[in-house]
Amino acid sequence: MSLNRSACSLRPCLRYRPKATAQLQIQHQLCRYKHGSSSYKSSKKRFHVPEQFIKFKAIRSSGPGGQNVNKVSTCVEARFNIAAATESAILPQDARDRLMQQNPNRINKKGELVVQAQEERTQARNKVIAKDRIDHLVAHALVEPKERNQWTELGEVTKMKRKDLKQHRKVIKSNRKLSRGDWD
């Protein structure tokens, strides 16, 4: 994803201070998403939610798996605290509203985004999958939707072309008519 250098005011700060705080790095990522490419999937660099805002909990996995299911808690439940992220300026208010609107069934009464992962047999892999899902959902909410222009009517050029075509057809049809003198 290309970065619009003139639009990002945080870039010089990160260039001269290689050990910038996590807050500045996250704000720089947000700036990249605002001024960079509009789609999350097409971007090579991804937005990463800091792990301090995510709580992981291991629970028992459901479904087939033999004895491993009964012995090991491989399913990972990740909870992202949206309110804490908004207060610490990691998640802007408009992105928070979009996140809550896009995922109403995944947000509990405490205001946490809850995601589960139980595809893999190990807890570590499921933890990575859950973290990636949260990153994807938050990055998707950071992208501002495009304002769509509703089509209302035909353009002037199209109207003129249609009028000319009708005139042409009128001439062709009028030439087909027989005059009274042609019957003799």
Short mmCIF file of all heavy atoms in Angstrom, two decimals, residues 13-38:
data_model
loop_
_atom_site.label_atom_id
_atom_site.label_comp_id
_atom_site.label_asym_id
_atom_site.label_seq_id
_atom_site.Cartn_x
_atom_site.Cartn_y
_atom_site.Cartn_z
N CYS A 13 8.09 12.00 12.67
CA CYS A 13 8.32 11.63 14.07
C CYS A 13 8.83 10.20 14.16
O CYS A 13 9.72 9.90 14.95
CB CYS A 13 7.03 11.80 14.85
SG CYS A 13 7.22 11.43 16.59
N LEU A 14 8.29 9.32 13.35
CA LEU A 14 8.72 7.92 13.39
C LEU A 14 10.09 7.75 12.72
O LEU A 14 10.83 6.84 13.06
CB LEU A 14 7.69 7.04 12.69
CG LEU A 14 6.38 6.87 13.44
CD1 LEU A 14 5.38 6.13 12.58
CD2 LEU A 14 6.59 6.13 14.74
N ARG A 15 10.42 8.59 11.77
CA ARG A 15 11.68 8.47 11.07
C ARG A 15 12.84 8.84 11.99
O ARG A 15 13.87 8.20 11.99
CB ARG A 15 11.67 9.38 9.84
CG ARG A 15 12.85 9.11 8.93
CD ARG A 15 12.87 9.96 7.69
NE ARG A 15 11.56 10.40 7.26
CZ ARG A 15 11.31 11.63 6.82
NH1 ARG A 15 12.26 12.52 6.74
NH2 ARG A 15 10.11 11.97 6.43
N TYR A 16 12.70 9.90 12.76
CA TYR A 16 13.81 10.37 13.59
C TYR A 16 13.89 9.67 14.94
O TYR A 16 14.89 9.71 15.60
CB TYR A 16 13.70 11.88 13.79
CG TYR A 16 13.81 12.62 12.49
CD1 TYR A 16 12.78 13.41 12.03
CD2 TYR A 16 14.95 12.50 11.70
CE1 TYR A 16 12.88 14.08 10.83
CE2 TYR A 16 15.06 13.15 10.50
CZ TYR A 16 14.03 13.94 10.07
OH TYR A 16 14.13 14.59 8.88
N ARG A 17 12.79 9.03 15.36
CA ARG A 17 12.81 8.30 16.63
C ARG A 17 12.49 6.85 16.35
O ARG A 17 11.34 6.45 16.29
CB ARG A 17 11.74 8.88 17.57
CG ARG A 17 12.12 10.24 18.08
CD ARG A 17 11.05 10.83 18.96
NE ARG A 17 10.60 9.89 19.95
CZ ARG A 17 9.45 10.04 20.62
NH1 ARG A 17 8.67 11.05 20.37
NH2 ARG A 17 9.10 9.17 21.52
N PRO A 18 13.52 6.03 16.16
CA PRO A 18 13.25 4.63 15.79
C PRO A 18 12.52 3.85 16.87
O PRO A 18 11.81 2.91 16.57
CB PRO A 18 14.64 4.05 15.54
CG PRO A 18 15.59 4.97 16.22
CD PRO A 18 14.94 6.32 16.25
N LYS A 19 12.67 4.27 18.12
CA LYS A 19 11.97 3.57 19.19
C LYS A 19 10.79 4.43 19.64
O LYS A 19 10.67 4.79 20.81
CB LYS A 19 12.91 3.30 20.37
CG LYS A 19 13.99 2.29 20.03
CD LYS A 19 14.81 1.95 21.23
CE LYS A 19 15.85 0.91 20.88
NZ LYS A 19 16.67 0.54 22.02
N ALA A 20 9.91 4.76 18.70
CA ALA A 20 8.74 5.57 19.01
C ALA A 20 7.77 4.74 19.86
O ALA A 20 7.79 3.51 19.84
CB ALA A 20 8.06 6.02 17.73
N THR A 21 6.93 5.42 20.57
CA THR A 21 5.98 4.72 21.44
C THR A 21 4.97 3.97 20.59
O THR A 21 4.76 4.27 19.42
CB THR A 21 5.25 5.72 22.34
OG1 THR A 21 4.52 6.62 21.50
CG2 THR A 21 6.22 6.49 23.21
N ALA A 22 4.34 3.01 21.22
CA ALA A 22 3.33 2.21 20.52
C ALA A 22 2.17 3.09 20.09
O ALA A 22 1.56 2.86 19.04
CB ALA A 22 2.83 1.10 21.43
N GLN A 23 1.88 4.12 20.87
CA GLN A 23 0.78 5.03 20.53
C GLN A 23 1.03 5.71 19.19
O GLN A 23 0.16 5.77 18.34
CB GLN A 23 0.66 6.09 21.64
CG GLN A 23 -0.52 7.00 21.50
CD GLN A 23 -1.79 6.32 21.94
OE1 GLN A 23 -1.75 5.27 22.55
NE2 GLN A 23 -2.90 6.92 21.61
N LEU A 24 2.25 6.21 18.95
CA LEU A 24 2.56 6.87 17.69
C LEU A 24 2.54 5.89 16.53
O LEU A 24 2.10 6.24 15.44
CB LEU A 24 3.93 7.54 17.77
CG LEU A 24 4.00 8.86 18.54
CD1 LEU A 24 5.43 9.33 18.64
CD2 LEU A 24 3.15 9.90 17.86
N GLN A 25 3.00 4.67 16.76
CA GLN A 25 2.98 3.69 15.69
C GLN A 25 1.56 3.35 15.28
O GLN A 25 1.26 3.20 14.10
CB GLN A 25 3.73 2.44 16.13
CG GLN A 25 5.23 2.65 16.24
CD GLN A 25 5.94 1.44 16.82
OE1 GLN A 25 5.30 0.52 17.31
NE2 GLN A 25 7.26 1.46 16.77
N ILE A 26 0.66 3.25 16.26
CA ILE A 26 -0.73 2.93 15.96
C ILE A 26 -1.38 4.10 15.24
O ILE A 26 -2.11 3.92 14.26
CB ILE A 26 -1.48 2.57 17.25
CG1 ILE A 26 -0.97 1.23 17.75
CG2 ILE A 26 -2.98 2.53 17.02
CD1 ILE A 26 -1.36 0.89 19.14
N GLN A 27 -1.09 5.33 15.68
CA GLN A 27 -1.65 6.49 14.99
C GLN A 27 -1.12 6.57 13.56
O GLN A 27 -1.83 6.96 12.65
CB GLN A 27 -1.31 7.76 15.75
CG GLN A 27 -2.11 7.91 17.02
CD GLN A 27 -1.73 9.15 17.80
OE1 GLN A 27 -0.82 9.86 17.43
NE2 GLN A 27 -2.44 9.39 18.89
N HIS A 28 0.12 6.16 13.35
CA HIS A 28 0.69 6.14 12.01
C HIS A 28 -0.04 5.11 11.15
O HIS A 28 -0.32 5.34 9.97
CB HIS A 28 2.18 5.84 12.07
CG HIS A 28 2.86 5.86 10.75
ND1 HIS A 28 2.91 6.99 9.98
CD2 HIS A 28 3.47 4.90 10.05
CE1 HIS A 28 3.56 6.72 8.86
NE2 HIS A 28 3.90 5.45 8.88
N GLN A 29 -0.38 3.95 11.72
CA GLN A 29 -1.14 2.95 10.99
C GLN A 29 -2.51 3.48 10.61
O GLN A 29 -2.98 3.28 9.49
CB GLN A 29 -1.30 1.67 11.82
CG GLN A 29 -0.07 0.81 11.86
CD GLN A 29 -0.32 -0.46 12.66
OE1 GLN A 29 -1.33 -0.60 13.34
NE2 GLN A 29 0.60 -1.39 12.59
N LEU A 30 -3.16 4.18 11.55
CA LEU A 30 -4.47 4.76 11.26
C LEU A 30 -4.36 5.77 10.13
O LEU A 30 -5.21 5.83 9.24
CB LEU A 30 -5.05 5.43 12.50
CG LEU A 30 -5.46 4.52 13.64
CD1 LEU A 30 -5.87 5.33 14.84
CD2 LEU A 30 -6.58 3.62 13.20
N CYS A 31 -3.31 6.56 10.16
CA CYS A 31 -3.10 7.56 9.11
C CYS A 31 -2.89 6.88 7.77
O CYS A 31 -3.38 7.33 6.74
CB CYS A 31 -1.90 8.42 9.48
SG CYS A 31 -1.71 9.84 8.42
N ARG A 32 -2.18 5.76 7.76
CA ARG A 32 -1.97 5.00 6.53
C ARG A 32 -3.29 4.52 5.96
O ARG A 32 -3.51 4.54 4.76
CB ARG A 32 -1.09 3.79 6.81
CG ARG A 32 0.29 3.95 6.28
CD ARG A 32 1.06 2.67 6.16
NE ARG A 32 0.61 1.53 6.89
CZ ARG A 32 1.28 0.94 7.87
NH1 ARG A 32 2.42 1.43 8.27
NH2 ARG A 32 0.82 -0.13 8.46
N TYR A 33 -4.20 4.06 6.83
CA TYR A 33 -5.47 3.56 6.34
C TYR A 33 -6.36 4.69 5.84
O TYR A 33 -7.11 4.51 4.91
CB TYR A 33 -6.19 2.75 7.43
CG TYR A 33 -5.78 1.32 7.37
CD1 TYR A 33 -4.76 0.84 8.18
CD2 TYR A 33 -6.35 0.45 6.47
CE1 TYR A 33 -4.34 -0.46 8.10
CE2 TYR A 33 -5.95 -0.86 6.39
CZ TYR A 33 -4.95 -1.31 7.21
OH TYR A 33 -4.55 -2.61 7.12
N LYS A 34 -6.26 5.86 6.46
CA LYS A 34 -7.09 6.97 6.00
C LYS A 34 -6.63 7.48 4.65
O LYS A 34 -7.43 7.84 3.81
CB LYS A 34 -7.05 8.11 7.01
CG LYS A 34 -7.89 7.85 8.23
CD LYS A 34 -7.88 9.05 9.13
CE LYS A 34 -8.71 8.78 10.37
NZ LYS A 34 -8.66 9.89 11.31
N HIS A 35 -5.31 7.54 4.41
CA HIS A 35 -4.79 8.15 3.21
C HIS A 35 -4.24 7.14 2.21
O HIS A 35 -3.78 7.52 1.15
CB HIS A 35 -3.69 9.15 3.56
CG HIS A 35 -4.16 10.19 4.52
ND1 HIS A 35 -5.11 11.13 4.18
CD2 HIS A 35 -3.85 10.43 5.81
CE1 HIS A 35 -5.35 11.91 5.21
NE2 HIS A 35 -4.59 11.51 6.21
N GLY A 36 -4.28 5.87 2.56
CA GLY A 36 -3.74 4.86 1.67
C GLY A 36 -4.83 4.22 0.84
O GLY A 36 -5.80 4.85 0.45
N SER A 37 -4.68 2.92 0.56
CA SER A 37 -5.67 2.23 -0.26
C SER A 37 -6.96 2.05 0.53
O SER A 37 -6.96 2.00 1.75
CB SER A 37 -5.14 0.87 -0.70
OG SER A 37 -5.19 -0.03 0.37
N SER A 38 -8.06 1.95 -0.19
CA SER A 38 -9.36 1.93 0.46
C SER A 38 -9.78 0.54 0.91
O SER A 38 -10.64 0.40 1.75
CB SER A 38 -10.42 2.49 -0.48
OG SER A 38 -10.48 1.71 -1.64
#
